[in-house]
Amino acid sequence: MSVLDEYKNDFLLFVESGFIAINQTDEDSTIKLFKAAELLDKTNPLIKIGFGYLALHKLELKKAITAFEEVLKKDPKNDMAKAFLGIAISMTPKNMLKGEKLLEETLQSDDKEVKKLATIALDFVDKFIKKEPTPVEPKKKSK
């Protein structure tokens, strides 16, 4: 039994802690936690989703999109990756509609948390991304 075998059961704790670290804006801990999880199970898609989620939080949209697309290449039915991909793509002006379509597709997911995420993301897109820019009134000349 190797030293790593002792921690196999803690895989999900490392991953979940990595997601929490992202939400706490602790990039250093996030990377260390996902790397630790990767040592335990290199093939689990949650690790790549986690790194994609980190990139999304940093608004590194191309990097995030690449990570989520890699997960979907291996598992086209991964609704979590599809939802995050929809969010990332919807934030790119040229592909907003494609992102919206992906989010709408994830509303059909069996996972209620993914549905909730997609609903919130679609609401965000409607309110803030599709929003018409507020016209700027010209300044009045002072006399």
Side-chain angles (χ1 to χ4, degrees):
M1 179 182 221
S2 75
V3 175
L4 288 180
D5 289 337
E6 294 179 37
Y7 297 98
K8 289 273 186 201
N9 293 333
D10 296 328
F11 172 81
L12 287 176
L13 292 174
F14 284 113
V15 171
E16 186 172 354
S17 297
F19 279 97
I20 291 169
I22 292 169
N23 291 331
Q24 297 294 323
T25 64
D26 185 351
E27 183 177 0
D28 183 52
S29 294
T30 298
I31 292 168
K32 289 175 182 173
L33 288 160
F34 287 144
K35 289 289 185 183
E38 194 172 45
L39 286 172
L40 299 174
D41 185 354
K42 290 177 177 37
T43 62
N44 195 304
L46 286 173
I47 297 163
K48 186 146 311 268
I49 291 171
F51 282 119
Y53 186 60
L54 174 62
L56 181 59
H57 267 255
K58 294 170 61 181
L59 295 176
E60 295 174 345
L61 299 177
K62 287 182 183 178
K63 191 174 182 180
I65 289 168
T66 300
F68 301 134
E69 285 177 339
E70 286 176 14
V71 171
L72 288 169
K73 266 186 206 168
K74 292 179 183 174
D75 180 11
K77 294 183 181 190
N78 189 315
D79 288 335
M80 181 187 287
K82 188 184 281 188
F84 284 137
L85 178 61
I87 292 169
I89 291 175
S90 69
M91 295 176 89
T92 60
K94 293 180 182 176
N95 295 315
M96 182 187 57
L97 295 176
K98 180 181 175 186
E100 233 181 338
K101 183 179 180 217
L102 285 168
L103 288 168
E104 287 168 358
E105 287 175 16
T106 58
L107 290 174
Q108 308 306 314
S109 175
D110 294 331
D111 185 331
K112 67 179 182 177
E113 293 301 318
V114 169
K115 281 182 179 179
K116 184 176 168 182
L117 173 65
T119 302
I120 292 167
L122 284 167
D123 187 46
F124 179 86
V125 168
D126 283 340
K127 285 183 179 173
F128 300 106
I129 297 177
K130 284 182 168 179
K131 183 179 172 181
E132 292 292 321
T134 307
V136 177
E137 291 189 31
K139 291 184 180 181
K140 293 180 182 179
K141 293 181 181 180
S142 59
K143 294 182 181 183

